[in-house]
Amino acid sequence: MIAAMASKIPRTEWQSISEQLQLSLAQAAMRQASTIIADQAELFAVQFTTRTLHDRGAADALKLFAVLLRETSAECLRPVGNA
């Protein structure tokens, strides 16, 4: 039944590319998203430090968050196995 339903769904451009390319693109997107989030955390930390925003201890927490995000993203997004 699932196979019959799947045959009625048109293939998307995403589905037409190889699984390896899908994986590479998804990993690159995750790395870019992690970088953007970490950069934003650092920007907020600077704004708290320069008193552009009122700080209640958030600057250090955001700096730590940025470091953790970069470190864990780099570790988690490494290729694993022989896919």
Side-chain angles (χ1 to χ4, degrees):
M1 174 144 190
I2 293 176
M5 289 171 49
S7 66
K8 294 179 184 180
I9 300 172
R11 283 179 62 92
T12 64
E13 189 173 343
W14 178 259
Q15 292 168 322
S16 67
I17 62 177
S18 72
E19 190 173 317
Q20 183 61 40
L21 182 54
Q22 286 179 12
L23 179 61
S24 294
L25 289 171
Q27 287 175 329
M30 290 299 292
R31 276 191 294 274
Q32 184 173 2
S34 296
T35 298
I36 290 168
I37 292 168
D39 289 348
Q40 287 297 309
E42 285 182 335
L43 176 62
F44 281 132
V46 167
Q47 289 175 334
F48 288 129
T49 302
T50 61
R51 302 194 191 284
T52 305
L53 293 175
H54 185 65
D55 182 12
R56 295 184 179 140
D60 290 334
L62 284 166
K63 289 175 188 174
L64 177 61
F65 175 68
V67 169
L68 290 173
L69 185 59
R70 285 193 177 103
E71 291 297 318
T72 57
S73 296
E75 183 67 30
C76 291
L77 292 174
R78 283 194 193 126
V80 177
N82 298 326

